[in-house]
Amino acid sequence: LVTSVCVASNSTLWIGTYGDGVYQLNENSVQHWTTANGLSDNVVSALCLDDWDGIWIGCRSGKLQRLDGSTISTFGKENGLPESPITCLKTAARIVLVGTEGGSVFQSSGTNFQVLPTPPQLQGKPIRALFADSQARLWIGAADVGLTCVGAGGSRLFDAGNGFPDLDVRGI
């Protein structure tokens, strides 16, 4: 089962799977990354490229990894992340955003992650999608909540009460 796909600037295709790790496909070769060669979990729930063509890998185990060439860096509880499955990733302006099954959003511009304040309606709800816009607002899609926009002036919820079509947002 393919769980996520992204394409690097050099046209390399990255494919995350449920149970079979990550595949890296380019014109001439296929590289397969699993627990046998460095992944913390073969159940990959999210992939995201950063500004340096490193690939971020979110796993159901709650570990986050960054693959840069053949080097894998692992981030977890010791870096400020919870032991909760990672459900989505987004990079923007050299910042990594991490959404979790437990309803939290974390950010980092280095090796340590900080939890971001989120509205109460997101507590305990799986975060499914993240997007940082050009006005410094964070858009959060969550299961059974709808779409939430968090900015300097507070937050706004888009749900059935104001005409939003669905409460399960899986992409932004």
Side-chain angles (χ1 to χ4, degrees):
L1 175 65
V2 172
T3 57
S4 52
V5 176
C6 57
V7 181
S9 62
N10 66 359
S11 298
T12 296
L13 183 66
W14 293 90
I15 302 169
T17 69
Y18 191 91
D20 202 24
V22 174
Y23 289 84
Q24 175 186 4
L25 286 73
N26 63 37
E27 290 181 16
N28 303 315
S29 67
V30 174
Q31 176 74 37
H32 186 201
W33 300 89
T34 67
T35 54
N37 58 356
L39 284 188
S40 63
D41 190 345
N42 286 330
V43 179
V44 174
S45 49
L47 292 176
C48 188
L49 286 161
D50 63 25
D51 293 340
W52 309 276
D53 277 341
I55 184 84
W56 290 87
I57 303 165
C59 298
R60 292 292 301 169
S61 65
K63 294 288 185 186
L64 176 65
Q65 294 185 287
R66 183 178 185 271
L67 177 58
D68 185 11
S70 61
T71 303
I72 298 177
S73 303
T74 301
F75 305 89
K77 189 174 182 178
E78 62 279 0
N79 304 96
L81 291 171
E83 293 178 331
S84 178
I86 294 172
T87 52
C88 62
L89 298 168
K90 181 68 179 167
T91 59
R94 300 185 186 243
I95 292 174
V96 179
L97 297 167
V98 179
T100 69
E101 189 75 24
S104 297
V105 178
F106 294 81
Q107 77 171 10
S108 176
S109 58
T111 59
N112 292 317
F113 287 80
Q114 297 82 36
V115 66
L116 295 177
T118 54
Q121 70 263 17
L122 296 176
Q123 299 304 310
K125 301 293 184 175
I127 306 298
R128 299 287 187 226
L130 296 167
F131 180 75
D133 70 18
S134 62
Q135 297 176 15
R137 295 178 299 192
L138 179 60
W139 295 82
I140 305 169
D144 302 322
V145 174
L147 181 65
T148 303
C149 179
V150 180
S155 66
R156 180 170 180 202
L157 174 64
F158 297 88
D159 62 7
N162 55 22
F164 199 73
D166 201 317
L167 294 181
D168 194 11
V169 177
R170 294 180 179 255
I172 302 173

